[in-house]
Amino acid sequence: MATPLASRPTSAILSTLLFAFLLRSGHTPAAAFYLPGSYPHRYRPGEALAAKLLLGDRIETSPYRFSMLKNATAFLCRSDPLPPATAALIMSRIDDAYHVNLLLDTLPVVRHVKNLAAPGVLVRSTGFPVGVRADDGEYYVYNHLKLTVLVNKPRNGTTRADALMATADSVELISFAGGSKDGGGYTVVGFEVVPCSVEHDAAAIKGKKMYDELPARAAAGCDPSVVGMRVRANRPLVFSYEVAFVESGVEWPSRWDAYLEMGGAKVHWFSILNSIVVVAFLAAILLVILLRTVRRDLAQYEELGGEAGAVQADELAGWKLIAGDVFREPSHPVLLCVLVGDGVRILAMSVATILFAALGFMSPASRGALVTGMLGIYLLLGFAAGYTAVRLWKTVRHGDSAGWKRVAWRTSCAFPGVGFAVFTALNCVLWYNGSTGAVPFLLFAVILLLWAFVSVPLTLAGGLVGSRVRHVEYPVKTNKISRQVPAAQCSPWVFVAVAGTLPFGTLFIELFFIMSSLWLGRVYYVFGFLLVVMALLVAVCGEVSVVLTYMGLCVEDWRWWWRSFFASGSVAAYILGYAVYYLVFDLHSLSGPVSATLYVGYSLLMALAVMLATGAVGLAASFSFVYYLFSAVKLD
């Protein structure tokens, strides 16, 4: 007997709302969900297929079932009359743009939608919405699915995947036909859907049971632009589906190509060329500074000698006069070391993750592999974070490593603590609203254990090594009394804020594709482009920070530590501003306090991570520049 919607909690998410009453008692689940990428599964004609349903962090068997190569139109169920509260809840889910995500043989279902920017171009989108709100203000649910399964029949019973799985002597091929004499069977190479809202004829569905055949004319009105099944209180909902099998020339190893294909290759190349121009421009400025200005100043500085030279030296201005203060300990040195340590960790994690993904080790076919790999790499890089933070602390303190444990401990808790706090707050919001997208408490415990027994020990171990490694010896001595900084006509922090525009210009185009992947369900897999953009971003951040540091030294301002960090780290402010722009102009369907809270929370966390990574690059570049600059100065 079907379970009415009213018996479910009113805070359940979309999938529970629409499919809870489809599951009958005594239902036998389908075969276990196998690990993607292991081997192709062959289906013989007539063999049962069952689509999977993605419920938050779980994958369960959906009620949509069909047989290989058998086209059919089937009745699914008829719910009890909807209570007013349930009808209102479904309407709110439609307003919040909830989507249904189905999987078949690990392939996500896709639908083709019109591109608003180019109406003649169709865009692939995973999943389909619960329903739609029409121009008349009425709500309609997509109650009929027109499914298309693309299948491939291997020639001579052998595919390239079978050949790759051959034995070492290449004589005997491993067969996955399940005992079939023809070595055949069909592989699923595509899964498409057209959701429709159809008002079924009462006579056609009268007396129908689950999976009973429906006449083809029963769903003849399946047109996405036409709606029929209205959501109203005290009215039942009727669900049905049809499936059609189409033979395709796409082979099983290439079936993910359609999902991973990202349009706009010219746009990616334009982004890279634009970034190269920025890098070249800044490099030219640095070349002028190093080869002309700095060398000329050094030559003049070394030509000064004796009492007359001392008089001329007093008349000089610029970076040459602050040699005794340029390596003075910055304000809040512990905080600076902690931020740099976390920044190096995030940057190294990003580079390693993108590199592995570009090499194909983190395929989207393996659901969750990218996030899992990123988390694992981040934990292991705790050693690098601790080492960098303590090594910088010892350098800033002129070789004194006292207090390194405090630095290492704060490094292990700073960004992970902020990230975990934001993650916990957002997860509590999901828990409160009854969403299955909320992370279970057991996974929370696992994350805490990984941090406590992997990340923290590695960070402390890295700090221990950093405290015992020889620190960087400054090329000049630091005066006991600090030199007064001349009053500036314009605050140097204005230049710091403006400096972030150049790094942002190198990545804002790629940022659009990343945001679309995160929030619009589009697959992002052009990691080769992303790796190049990452390298250009690092170069721009380093160059911007060096130029700004040199400008500050020229006006006798020796307080460059924090400004070099934020000169490149200020790109995070522009990323946050772009996130607001993207929310207003691109996420039209995002509504409701829960969705907005999730978006704002994760955007803030992303901006913080970018600030730490780019800030670490800027500080490292500026330190190298200042060290090189003053190591060439000869003082008596």
Coordinates of all heavy atoms in Angstrom, one line a residue, residues 199-283:
E199 N -1.5 16.0 -17.0 CA -2.8 15.7 -16.3 C -3.4 14.4 -16.9 O -3.8 14.4 -18.1 CB -3.8 16.8 -16.5 CG -5.1 16.7 -15.8 CD -5.0 16.7 -14.3 OE1 -4.2 17.6 -13.8 OE2 -5.7 16.0 -13.6
H200 N -3.2 13.3 -16.2 CA -3.6 12.0 -16.8 C -5.2 11.9 -16.8 O -5.9 12.4 -16.0 CB -3.1 10.9 -15.9 CG -1.6 10.7 -16.0 ND1 -1.0 10.1 -17.0 CD2 -0.6 11.1 -15.2 CE1 0.3 10.1 -16.9 NE2 0.6 10.7 -15.7
D201 N -5.6 11.1 -17.8 CA -7.0 10.8 -18.0 C -7.4 9.9 -16.8 O -6.8 8.8 -16.6 CB -7.2 10.2 -19.3 CG -8.7 9.9 -19.6 OD1 -9.6 10.4 -18.8 OD2 -9.1 9.2 -20.5
A202 N -8.4 10.2 -16.1 CA -8.8 9.4 -15.0 C -9.2 8.0 -15.4 O -8.9 7.0 -14.7 CB -10.0 10.1 -14.3
A203 N -9.8 7.8 -16.6 CA -10.2 6.5 -17.0 C -9.0 5.7 -17.4 O -9.0 4.4 -17.2 CB -11.1 6.7 -18.3
A204 N -7.9 6.3 -17.9 CA -6.7 5.6 -18.3 C -6.0 5.0 -17.1 O -5.3 3.9 -17.2 CB -5.8 6.4 -19.1
I205 N -6.0 5.6 -15.9 CA -5.3 5.2 -14.8 C -6.2 4.5 -13.7 O -5.7 4.0 -12.7 CB -4.5 6.3 -14.1 CG1 -5.6 7.4 -13.6 CG2 -3.6 7.0 -15.1 CD1 -4.9 8.5 -12.7
K206 N -7.4 4.3 -14.0 CA -8.3 3.7 -13.1 C -8.0 2.2 -12.9 O -7.9 1.5 -13.9 CB -9.8 3.9 -13.5 CG -10.8 3.3 -12.5 CD -12.2 3.6 -13.0 CE -13.2 3.1 -12.0 NZ -14.6 3.3 -12.4
G207 N -7.8 1.8 -11.7 CA -7.5 0.4 -11.4 C -6.0 0.0 -11.7 O -5.7 -1.1 -11.5
K208 N -5.2 1.0 -12.1 CA -3.8 0.6 -12.4 C -3.0 0.4 -11.1 O -3.2 1.1 -10.1 CB -3.2 1.8 -13.2 CG -3.7 1.9 -14.6 CD -3.4 0.7 -15.5 CE -3.9 0.9 -16.9 NZ -3.5 -0.2 -17.8
K209 N -2.1 -0.5 -11.2 CA -1.2 -0.8 -10.1 C 0.3 -0.3 -10.5 O 0.5 -0.1 -11.6 CB -1.2 -2.3 -9.7 CG -2.5 -2.7 -9.2 CD -2.5 -4.2 -8.8 CE -3.8 -4.7 -8.3 NZ -3.7 -6.1 -7.9
M210 N 1.1 -0.3 -9.5 CA 2.5 0.1 -9.8 C 3.1 -0.7 -10.9 O 3.1 -2.0 -10.9 CB 3.3 0.0 -8.5 CG 4.6 0.9 -8.5 SD 5.3 0.8 -6.8 CE 6.5 2.2 -7.0
Y211 N 3.7 0.0 -11.8 CA 4.4 -0.6 -13.0 C 3.5 -1.2 -14.0 O 4.0 -1.9 -15.0 CB 5.5 -1.7 -12.6 CG 6.5 -1.2 -11.6 CD1 6.6 -1.8 -10.3 CD2 7.3 0.0 -11.8 CE1 7.6 -1.3 -9.4 CE2 8.2 0.4 -10.9 CZ 8.3 -0.2 -9.7 OH 9.2 0.3 -8.8
D212 N 2.2 -1.0 -13.9 CA 1.3 -1.4 -15.0 C 1.5 -0.6 -16.2 O 1.8 0.6 -16.1 CB -0.2 -1.3 -14.5 CG -0.6 -2.4 -13.6 OD1 0.2 -3.4 -13.4 OD2 -1.7 -2.4 -13.0
E213 N 1.4 -1.3 -17.4 CA 1.6 -0.6 -18.6 C 0.5 0.4 -18.9 O -0.7 0.2 -18.6 CB 1.6 -1.6 -19.8 CG 2.0 -1.1 -21.1 CD 3.5 -0.8 -21.2 OE1 4.3 -1.3 -20.3 OE2 3.9 -0.1 -22.1
L214 N 0.9 1.6 -19.4 CA -0.1 2.6 -19.8 C 0.0 2.8 -21.3 O 1.0 2.6 -21.9 CB 0.3 4.0 -19.1 CG 0.0 4.2 -17.7 CD1 0.5 5.6 -17.3 CD2 -1.5 4.1 -17.4
P215 N -1.2 3.1 -21.9 CA -1.1 3.3 -23.3 C -0.3 4.5 -23.7 O -0.2 5.5 -22.9 CB -2.6 3.6 -23.7 CG -3.2 4.0 -22.4 CD -2.5 3.2 -21.3
A216 N 0.4 4.5 -24.8 CA 1.3 5.6 -25.2 C 0.6 7.0 -25.2 O 1.2 8.0 -24.9 CB 1.9 5.3 -26.6
R217 N -0.7 7.0 -25.5 CA -1.4 8.2 -25.6 C -1.7 8.8 -24.2 O -2.0 10.0 -24.1 CB -2.8 8.0 -26.3 CG -3.7 7.1 -25.5 CD -5.1 7.0 -26.2 NE -6.0 6.2 -25.5 CZ -6.1 4.9 -25.5 NH1 -5.3 4.3 -26.3 NH2 -7.0 4.3 -24.8
A218 N -1.5 8.0 -23.1 CA -1.7 8.5 -21.8 C -0.7 9.6 -21.4 O -0.9 10.5 -20.6 CB -1.6 7.4 -20.8
A219 N 0.5 9.6 -22.1 CA 1.6 10.6 -21.8 C 1.9 11.4 -23.1 O 2.9 11.9 -23.3 CB 2.8 9.9 -21.3
A220 N 0.9 11.4 -24.0 CA 1.1 12.1 -25.2 C 1.4 13.6 -25.1 O 1.9 14.2 -25.9 CB -0.1 11.9 -26.2
G221 N 0.9 14.1 -23.9 CA 1.1 15.6 -23.7 C 2.4 15.9 -23.0 O 2.5 16.9 -22.4
C222 N 3.4 15.0 -23.1 CA 4.7 15.3 -22.5 C 5.5 16.3 -23.2 O 6.2 16.0 -24.2 CB 5.5 14.0 -22.4 SG 7.0 14.1 -21.5
D223 N 5.3 17.5 -22.8 CA 6.0 18.7 -23.4 C 6.4 19.6 -22.2 O 5.6 20.1 -21.5 CB 5.0 19.4 -24.3 CG 5.7 20.6 -25.1 OD1 6.9 20.9 -24.7 OD2 5.1 21.1 -26.0
P224 N 7.7 19.8 -22.1 CA 8.2 20.6 -21.0 C 7.6 22.0 -20.9 O 7.6 22.6 -19.9 CB 9.7 20.7 -21.2 CG 10.0 19.5 -22.1 CD 8.8 19.3 -23.0
S225 N 7.2 22.5 -22.1 CA 6.6 23.9 -22.1 C 5.1 23.9 -21.7 O 4.6 25.0 -21.6 CB 6.8 24.5 -23.5 OG 6.1 23.8 -24.5
V226 N 4.5 22.7 -21.6 CA 3.1 22.7 -21.2 C 3.0 22.0 -19.9 O 3.6 21.0 -19.6 CB 2.3 21.9 -22.3 CG1 0.8 21.8 -21.9 CG2 2.5 22.6 -23.7
V227 N 2.2 22.6 -19.0 CA 2.0 22.0 -17.6 C 0.6 21.6 -17.4 O -0.4 22.2 -18.0 CB 2.4 23.0 -16.6 CG1 3.9 23.3 -16.6 CG2 1.7 24.3 -16.7
G228 N 0.4 20.5 -16.6 CA -0.9 20.0 -16.4 C -1.2 19.6 -15.0 O -2.3 19.8 -14.5
M229 N -0.3 19.0 -14.3 CA -0.5 18.4 -12.9 C -0.3 19.5 -11.9 O 0.8 19.8 -11.5 CB 0.4 17.3 -12.6 CG 0.3 16.7 -11.2 SD -1.4 16.1 -10.8 CE -1.7 14.8 -12.0
R230 N -1.5 20.2 -11.5 CA -1.4 21.3 -10.6 C -1.3 20.8 -9.1 O -1.9 19.8 -8.8 CB -2.7 22.1 -10.8 CG -2.7 23.4 -10.0 CD -3.9 24.2 -10.3 NE -3.9 24.6 -11.8 CZ -4.9 25.2 -12.4 NH1 -6.0 25.5 -11.7 NH2 -4.8 25.5 -13.7
V231 N -0.6 21.5 -8.3 CA -0.4 21.2 -6.9 C -1.5 21.9 -6.2 O -1.5 23.2 -6.1 CB 1.0 21.5 -6.4 CG1 1.1 21.2 -4.9 CG2 2.0 20.8 -7.2
R232 N -2.4 21.2 -5.6 CA -3.5 21.8 -4.8 C -3.8 21.0 -3.6 O -3.7 19.7 -3.6 CB -4.8 22.0 -5.7 CG -4.7 23.2 -6.6 CD -6.0 23.4 -7.3 NE -6.0 24.6 -8.1 CZ -7.1 25.0 -8.9 NH1 -8.2 24.3 -8.8 NH2 -7.0 26.1 -9.6
A233 N -4.3 21.6 -2.6 CA -4.7 20.9 -1.4 C -5.9 20.0 -1.7 O -6.7 20.4 -2.5 CB -4.9 21.9 -0.2
N234 N -5.9 18.9 -1.0 CA -7.0 17.9 -1.1 C -7.2 17.3 -2.5 O -8.2 16.8 -2.8 CB -8.3 18.6 -0.7 CG -8.3 19.1 0.7 OD1 -7.7 18.5 1.6 ND2 -8.8 20.3 0.9
R235 N -6.1 17.4 -3.3 CA -6.1 16.7 -4.6 C -4.9 15.8 -4.6 O -3.8 16.1 -4.1 CB -5.9 17.7 -5.7 CG -7.2 18.5 -6.1 CD -7.0 19.3 -7.4 NE -6.7 18.3 -8.5 CZ -6.4 18.7 -9.7 NH1 -6.3 20.0 -10.0 NH2 -6.1 17.9 -10.6
P236 N -5.1 14.6 -5.2 CA -3.9 13.6 -5.3 C -3.0 14.0 -6.4 O -3.3 14.8 -7.3 CB -4.7 12.3 -5.6 CG -5.9 12.7 -6.3 CD -6.3 14.0 -5.8
L237 N -1.8 13.4 -6.4 CA -0.8 13.5 -7.4 C -0.6 12.2 -8.1 O -0.6 11.1 -7.4 CB 0.5 14.0 -6.9 CG 0.6 15.4 -6.3 CD1 2.0 15.7 -5.7 CD2 0.2 16.4 -7.3
V238 N -0.6 12.1 -9.4 CA -0.4 10.9 -10.2 C 1.0 10.9 -10.8 O 1.3 12.0 -11.5 CB -1.5 10.7 -11.2 CG1 -1.2 9.5 -12.0 CG2 -2.8 10.7 -10.6
F239 N 1.8 9.9 -10.7 CA 3.1 9.8 -11.2 C 3.2 8.7 -12.2 O 2.6 7.6 -12.0 CB 4.2 9.6 -10.1 CG 4.4 10.8 -9.3 CD1 3.5 11.1 -8.2 CD2 5.4 11.7 -9.5 CE1 3.7 12.2 -7.4 CE2 5.6 12.9 -8.8 CZ 4.7 13.1 -7.7
S240 N 4.0 8.9 -13.3 CA 4.2 7.9 -14.3 C 5.5 8.2 -15.0 O 6.2 9.2 -14.7 CB 3.0 7.9 -15.4 OG 3.0 9.2 -16.0
Y241 N 5.9 7.3 -15.9 CA 7.2 7.5 -16.6 C 7.2 6.6 -17.8 O 6.4 5.7 -18.0 CB 8.4 7.1 -15.7 CG 8.5 5.7 -15.4 CD1 9.4 4.8 -16.1 CD2 7.8 5.1 -14.3 CE1 9.5 3.5 -15.8 CE2 7.9 3.8 -14.0 CZ 8.7 3.0 -14.7 OH 8.8 1.6 -14.4
E242 N 8.0 7.0 -18.8 CA 8.2 6.2 -20.0 C 9.7 6.1 -20.2 O 10.5 7.0 -19.9 CB 7.5 6.8 -21.2 CG 7.9 8.2 -21.5 CD 7.2 8.8 -22.7 OE1 7.3 8.2 -23.8 OE2 6.4 9.8 -22.5
V243 N 10.1 5.0 -20.8 CA 11.6 4.8 -21.1 C 11.8 4.3 -22.5 O 10.9 3.5 -23.0 CB 12.2 3.8 -20.1 CG1 11.5 2.5 -20.1 CG2 13.7 3.6 -20.3
A244 N 12.8 4.9 -23.1 CA 13.1 4.5 -24.5 C 14.6 4.2 -24.6 O 15.4 4.9 -24.0 CB 12.7 5.6 -25.5
F245 N 15.0 3.0 -25.2 CA 16.3 2.6 -25.3 C 16.8 3.0 -26.8 O 16.2 2.7 -27.7 CB 16.5 1.2 -25.1 CG 16.3 0.8 -23.6 CD1 15.0 0.5 -23.1 CD2 17.4 0.7 -22.8 CE1 14.9 0.2 -21.8 CE2 17.2 0.4 -21.5 CZ 15.9 0.1 -21.0
V246 N 18.0 3.6 -26.8 CA 18.5 4.1 -28.1 C 20.0 3.6 -28.2 O 20.8 3.8 -27.3 CB 18.5 5.6 -28.3 CG1 19.1 6.0 -29.6 CG2 17.1 6.1 -28.2
E247 N 20.3 2.8 -29.3 CA 21.7 2.4 -29.4 C 22.6 3.5 -29.8 O 22.2 4.4 -30.7 CB 21.7 1.3 -30.5 CG 21.1 0.0 -30.0 CD 21.6 -1.2 -30.8 OE1 22.8 -1.2 -31.2 OE2 20.8 -2.2 -31.0
S248 N 23.7 3.6 -29.2 CA 24.7 4.7 -29.5 C 26.0 4.1 -29.9 O 26.4 3.0 -29.5 CB 24.8 5.5 -28.2 OG 25.8 6.5 -28.3
G249 N 26.7 4.9 -30.6 CA 28.1 4.5 -31.0 C 29.1 4.9 -30.0 O 30.3 4.5 -30.1
V250 N 28.7 5.5 -28.9 CA 29.6 5.8 -27.8 C 30.0 4.6 -27.1 O 29.1 3.8 -26.6 CB 29.0 6.9 -26.9 CG1 29.9 7.2 -25.7 CG2 28.6 8.2 -27.6
E251 N 31.3 4.3 -26.9 CA 31.7 3.1 -26.1 C 31.8 3.5 -24.6 O 31.8 4.6 -24.2 CB 33.1 2.7 -26.6 CG 33.0 2.2 -28.1 CD 34.4 1.5 -28.5 OE1 35.3 1.5 -27.6 OE2 34.5 1.2 -29.7
W252 N 31.8 2.4 -23.9 CA 31.7 2.5 -22.4 C 32.9 3.4 -21.9 O 32.7 4.2 -21.0 CB 31.8 1.2 -21.8 CG 31.5 1.2 -20.3 CD1 30.3 1.2 -19.6 CD2 32.5 1.2 -19.3 NE1 30.5 1.2 -18.3 CE2 31.9 1.3 -18.0 CE3 33.9 1.3 -19.3 CZ2 32.5 1.3 -16.8 CZ3 34.6 1.3 -18.1 CH2 33.9 1.3 -16.9
P253 N 34.2 3.2 -22.3 CA 35.2 4.1 -21.8 C 35.0 5.6 -22.1 O 35.6 6.4 -21.4 CB 36.5 3.6 -22.4 CG 36.1 2.2 -22.9 CD 34.7 2.2 -23.3
S254 N 34.2 5.9 -23.1 CA 34.0 7.3 -23.5 C 32.7 7.9 -23.0 O 32.3 9.0 -23.4 CB 34.1 7.4 -25.0 OG 35.4 6.9 -25.4
R255 N 32.0 7.2 -22.2 CA 30.6 7.6 -21.9 C 30.6 8.9 -21.0 O 29.6 9.6 -21.0 CB 29.8 6.5 -21.2 CG 30.4 6.1 -19.8 CD 29.5 5.0 -19.2 NE 29.9 4.7 -17.9 CZ 29.2 4.0 -17.0 NH1 28.0 3.7 -17.4 NH2 29.6 3.8 -15.8
W256 N 31.7 9.2 -20.3 CA 31.7 10.4 -19.5 C 32.1 11.6 -20.3 O 32.1 12.7 -19.7 CB 32.7 10.2 -18.3 CG 32.1 9.5 -17.1 CD1 32.2 8.2 -16.8 CD2 31.3 10.1 -16.1 NE1 31.5 7.9 -15.7 CE2 30.9 9.1 -15.2 CE3 30.9 11.4 -15.8 CZ2 30.2 9.3 -14.1 CZ3 30.1 11.6 -14.7 CH2 29.8 10.6 -13.8
D257 N 32.5 11.4 -21.5 CA 32.9 12.6 -22.3 C 31.8 13.6 -22.4 O 32.1 14.8 -22.4 CB 33.4 12.1 -23.7 CG 34.6 11.3 -23.7 OD1 35.2 11.2 -22.6 OD2 35.0 10.8 -24.7
A258 N 30.6 13.2 -22.6 CA 29.5 14.1 -22.7 C 29.3 14.9 -21.5 O 28.9 16.1 -21.5 CB 28.2 13.4 -23.1
Y259 N 29.6 14.3 -20.3 CA 29.4 15.0 -19.0 C 30.5 16.0 -18.8 O 30.4 17.1 -18.2 CB 29.3 14.0 -17.9 CG 28.1 13.2 -17.9 CD1 28.0 12.0 -18.7 CD2 26.9 13.5 -17.2 CE1 26.9 11.2 -18.7 CE2 25.8 12.7 -17.3 CZ 25.8 11.5 -18.0 OH 24.7 10.7 -18.1
L260 N 31.7 15.6 -19.2 CA 32.9 16.4 -18.9 C 33.2 17.4 -20.0 O 34.1 18.3 -19.8 CB 34.1 15.4 -18.8 CG 34.0 14.3 -17.8 CD1 35.3 13.5 -17.8 CD2 33.7 14.8 -16.4
E261 N 32.5 17.4 -21.1 CA 32.7 18.4 -22.1 C 32.2 19.7 -21.6 O 31.0 19.9 -21.2 CB 31.9 18.0 -23.4 CG 32.0 19.0 -24.5 CD 31.1 18.7 -25.7 OE1 30.5 17.6 -25.7 OE2 31.1 19.5 -26.6
M262 N 33.1 20.7 -21.6 CA 32.7 22.1 -21.2 C 32.9 23.0 -22.4 O 34.0 23.1 -23.0 CB 33.6 22.5 -20.0 CG 33.3 21.8 -18.7 SD 33.9 22.8 -17.3 CE 32.9 24.2 -17.4
G263 N 31.8 23.7 -22.7 CA 31.9 24.6 -23.7 C 32.7 25.8 -23.4 O 33.1 26.1 -22.2
G264 N 33.0 26.7 -24.4 CA 33.7 27.9 -24.1 C 35.2 27.7 -24.0 O 35.8 28.4 -23.2
A265 N 35.8 26.8 -24.8 CA 37.2 26.7 -24.8 C 37.9 28.0 -25.1 O 39.0 28.3 -24.6 CB 37.6 25.5 -25.7
K266 N 37.3 28.7 -26.1 CA 37.9 30.0 -26.5 C 37.9 31.0 -25.3 O 38.8 31.8 -25.1 CB 37.1 30.6 -27.6 CG 37.2 29.8 -28.9 CD 36.5 30.5 -30.0 CE 36.6 29.7 -31.3 NZ 35.9 30.3 -32.5
V267 N 36.9 30.9 -24.4 CA 36.8 31.7 -23.3 C 38.0 31.4 -22.3 O 38.6 32.3 -21.7 CB 35.5 31.6 -22.5 CG1 35.4 32.5 -21.3 CG2 34.3 32.0 -23.5
H268 N 38.2 30.1 -22.1 CA 39.3 29.7 -21.2 C 40.7 30.2 -21.8 O 41.5 30.7 -21.0 CB 39.4 28.2 -21.1 CG 38.2 27.6 -20.4 ND1 38.1 27.7 -19.0 CD2 37.1 27.0 -20.8 CE1 36.9 27.1 -18.6 NE2 36.3 26.7 -19.7
W269 N 40.8 30.1 -23.1 CA 42.1 30.5 -23.7 C 42.2 32.1 -23.6 O 43.3 32.6 -23.3 CB 42.2 30.1 -25.1 CG 42.6 28.7 -25.3 CD1 41.8 27.7 -25.9 CD2 43.8 28.1 -24.9 NE1 42.5 26.5 -25.8 CE2 43.7 26.7 -25.3 CE3 45.0 28.6 -24.4 CZ2 44.8 25.8 -25.1 CZ3 46.0 27.7 -24.1 CH2 45.9 26.3 -24.5
F270 N 41.1 32.8 -23.7 CA 41.1 34.2 -23.6 C 41.5 34.6 -22.1 O 42.3 35.5 -21.9 CB 39.7 34.8 -23.9 CG 39.6 36.3 -23.6 CD1 40.2 37.2 -24.5 CD2 39.0 36.7 -22.4 CE1 40.1 38.6 -24.2 CE2 38.9 38.1 -22.2 CZ 39.5 39.0 -23.0
S271 N 41.0 33.8 -21.2 CA 41.4 34.1 -19.8 C 42.9 33.9 -19.6 O 43.5 34.7 -18.9 CB 40.6 33.2 -18.8 OG 41.0 33.3 -17.5
I272 N 43.4 32.8 -20.1 CA 44.9 32.6 -20.0 C 45.7 33.6 -20.6 O 46.7 34.1 -20.1 CB 45.2 31.2 -20.5 CG1 44.6 30.1 -19.6 CG2 46.7 31.0 -20.6 CD1 44.7 28.7 -20.1
L273 N 45.3 34.0 -21.9 CA 46.1 35.1 -22.6 C 46.0 36.4 -21.9 O 47.0 37.1 -21.8 CB 45.5 35.2 -24.0 CG 45.8 34.0 -25.0 CD1 45.1 34.3 -26.3 CD2 47.3 33.8 -25.1
N274 N 44.8 36.7 -21.3 CA 44.7 37.9 -20.5 C 45.6 37.9 -19.3 O 46.3 38.9 -19.0 CB 43.2 38.1 -20.1 CG 43.0 39.3 -19.2 OD1 43.2 40.4 -19.5 ND2 42.7 39.0 -17.9
S275 N 45.7 36.7 -18.6 CA 46.6 36.6 -17.5 C 48.0 36.7 -17.9 O 48.8 37.3 -17.1 CB 46.3 35.3 -16.8 OG 44.9 35.2 -16.4
I276 N 48.4 36.1 -19.0 CA 49.8 36.2 -19.5 C 50.2 37.7 -19.7 O 51.3 38.1 -19.4 CB 50.0 35.3 -20.7 CG1 49.8 33.9 -20.4 CG2 51.3 35.6 -21.4 CD1 49.9 32.9 -21.5
V277 N 49.3 38.4 -20.3 CA 49.5 39.8 -20.5 C 49.8 40.6 -19.2 O 50.7 41.4 -19.1 CB 48.4 40.5 -21.3 CG1 48.6 42.0 -21.4 CG2 48.3 39.9 -22.7
V278 N 49.0 40.3 -18.2 CA 49.2 40.9 -16.9 C 50.5 40.5 -16.3 O 51.3 41.4 -15.8 CB 48.0 40.6 -16.0 CG1 48.3 41.1 -14.6 CG2 46.7 41.1 -16.5
V279 N 50.8 39.2 -16.4 CA 52.1 38.8 -15.8 C 53.3 39.4 -16.5 O 54.3 39.9 -15.9 CB 52.2 37.2 -16.0 CG1 53.6 36.7 -15.6 CG2 51.2 36.6 -15.1
A280 N 53.2 39.5 -17.9 CA 54.3 40.1 -18.6 C 54.4 41.6 -18.3 O 55.6 42.1 -18.2 CB 54.0 39.9 -20.1
F281 N 53.3 42.3 -18.1 CA 53.4 43.7 -17.8 C 54.0 43.9 -16.4 O 54.9 44.8 -16.3 CB 51.9 44.3 -17.8 CG 51.9 45.7 -17.3 CD1 52.3 46.7 -18.1 CD2 51.3 46.0 -16.0 CE1 52.2 48.1 -17.7 CE2 51.3 47.3 -15.6 CZ 51.7 48.4 -16.4
L282 N 53.6 43.1 -15.4 CA 54.2 43.3 -14.1 C 55.7 42.8 -14.1 O 56.5 43.4 -13.4 CB 53.5 42.4 -13.1 CG 52.0 42.9 -12.8 CD1 51.3 42.0 -11.9 CD2 52.1 44.3 -12.1
A283 N 56.0 41.8 -14.9 CA 57.4 41.4 -15.0 C 58.3 42.5 -15.6 O 59.4 42.6 -15.2 CB 57.5 40.1 -15.8

